Amino acid sequence: MSGFKKFLLQGDLIKLAVAFIMGAAFASVVTATVTVIMDLIGKLGGTPDFSGWTPGGVHLGDWFTAVIAFVIMAAVVYFMIVKPYTHAKERFFPEPDPGETEIDILKQIRDSIAVR
């Protein structure tokens, strides 16, 4: 039982659970955004949904709707999660200056030996 208790209370498992809950909550926001944008696109084309579109008897409407929904979802995730996260990470946790690396030191040693 102690191993199971340790597994349940590990920080990684808790972080994963929190991330899952946050992802599920954010999924409803993304779905609602996609619905709004799809409705706006549909209003421009005269129909709110492309599922019934069958040019030449080929059911392209479902595929077209899925592609548009995917692009919108990717844009929402990128502009609402990735961009703000990257900006905040760069602002609040800048990359430290690595200073001299081992390669730089070895090059200096090589150059000083070459001078002698």
Side-chain angles (χ1 to χ4, degrees):
M1 275 316 260
S2 66
F4 182 67
K5 182 179 175 183
K6 181 180 177 186
F7 171 73
L8 285 178
L9 298 177
Q10 278 181 331
D12 293 341
L13 185 63
I14 302 299
K15 289 178 185 176
L16 180 63
V18 169
F20 182 76
I21 292 167
M22 293 290 291
F26 187 70
S28 65
V29 173
V30 171
T31 303
T33 305
V34 169
T35 302
V36 167
I37 294 174
M38 287 297 288
D39 286 346
L40 292 174
I41 292 172
K43 297 282 183 198
L44 294 175
T47 59
D49 188 10
F50 299 103
S51 298
W53 186 49
T54 56
V58 178
H59 297 281
L60 289 177
D62 290 332
W63 180 82
F64 191 61
T65 301
V67 168
I68 291 173
F70 172 77
V71 170
I72 293 168
M73 191 173 300
V76 167
V77 168
Y78 180 75
F79 289 111
M80 290 182 71
I81 294 178
V82 175
K83 286 290 278 186
Y85 173 77
T86 304
H87 179 69
K89 185 177 174 185
E90 289 172 353
R91 182 174 177 202
F92 296 113
F93 302 104
E95 291 287 324
D97 186 22
E100 284 189 327
T101 62
E102 290 181 25
I103 301 288
D104 294 332
I105 294 170
L106 289 172
K107 285 179 182 179
Q108 290 174 3
I109 293 170
R110 179 197 64 198
D111 294 341
S112 67
I113 291 173
V115 170
R116 292 185 199 166

